[in-house]
Amino acid sequence: RQRQLCIRDSFIGPQQEVKVLVPANDLLGDNWLTIDFRDEDWQSAQMGIGYDENTTYSNEFGGNGNLGGALNGVNNSVYIRTNFNVDDPASITELILKMKYDDGFVAYLNDTLIADANAPGGLSWNSEATTDHSDNEAVVFQEFNISYGCTKCQLCIVQLC
């Protein structure tokens, strides 16, 4: 009888340092998705990014994560980037992305689309979600199986409002 050991590691936690940008135009194109893209001029924050017109999501924001007036009424999209390393990629048999989102998102891992919800077919710098994701649903993690091998990993997310 063989026993299997399941280890759950979190590569990106709620205090993860991220870089965020509310794009003003399409000058970046898809270049911001590459691992070696230089984002040092972007705003630093902790995971939990968005804005709130009232207090529905106030407990969901990380440090500097409430973009308020920088996002609300300015653009429907915000770019979010973070890095993480996987020491032994051969040991990973399943990778799960847990997302809270309002109203949609698109996620890339190492410049490869891995998950999305309520995203338009043709993504652009000012895309908006195709439908609402209720406030009650937006504060609950939804799981996406994104099994994909990597050692040095760049997760890029477009949050769609």
Side-chain angles (χ1 to χ4, degrees):
R1 185 175 192 182
Q2 184 178 5
R3 294 178 60 191
Q4 291 184 340
L5 178 63
C6 179
I7 299 173
R8 294 191 175 259
D9 286 328
S10 179
F11 296 111
I12 301 173
Q15 303 300 314
Q16 179 78 25
E17 180 80 15
V18 298
K19 293 292 196 162
V20 298
L21 175 75
V22 177
N25 54 48
D26 194 29
L27 287 178
L28 292 177
D30 289 339
N31 293 332
W32 73 280
L33 298 172
T34 62
I35 290 176
D36 59 351
F37 178 81
R38 301 187 60 139
D39 59 13
E40 60 270 357
D41 293 335
W42 290 23
Q43 177 180 328
S44 293
Q46 289 178 319
M47 196 57 86
I49 308 298
Y51 75 91
D52 197 354
E53 294 175 331
N54 46 51
T55 59
T56 306
Y57 305 120
S58 58
N59 293 328
E60 303 297 326
F61 297 124
N64 291 326
N66 186 348
L67 301 182
L71 182 59
N72 189 12
V74 176
N75 194 344
N76 291 307
S77 297
V78 59
Y79 296 168
I80 305 165
R81 292 173 49 91
T82 192
N83 293 310
F84 64 97
N85 291 313
V86 178
D87 294 328
D88 185 9
S91 70
I92 297 176
T93 58
E94 185 176 57
L95 197 57
I96 303 294
L97 173 67
K98 293 183 178 182
M99 287 290 297
K100 294 180 184 179
Y101 60 93
D102 182 31
D103 283 311
F105 77 94
V106 179
Y108 297 85
L109 183 61
N110 294 346
D111 199 17
T112 300
L113 176 67
I114 55 168
D116 64 67
N118 301 334
L123 198 60
S124 66
W125 66 275
N126 60 350
S127 292
E128 63 183 277
T130 56
T131 189
D132 291 337
H133 192 223
S134 76
D135 289 347
N136 290 337
E137 293 174 315
V139 297
V140 176
F141 280 111
Q142 184 173 350
E143 293 188 357
F144 299 84
N145 187 326
I146 58 164
S147 298
Y148 178 86
C150 66
T151 53
K152 181 179 178 185
C153 302
Q154 173 71 55
L155 179 67
C156 299
I157 300 170
V158 181
Q159 176 75 32
L160 305 171
C161 303

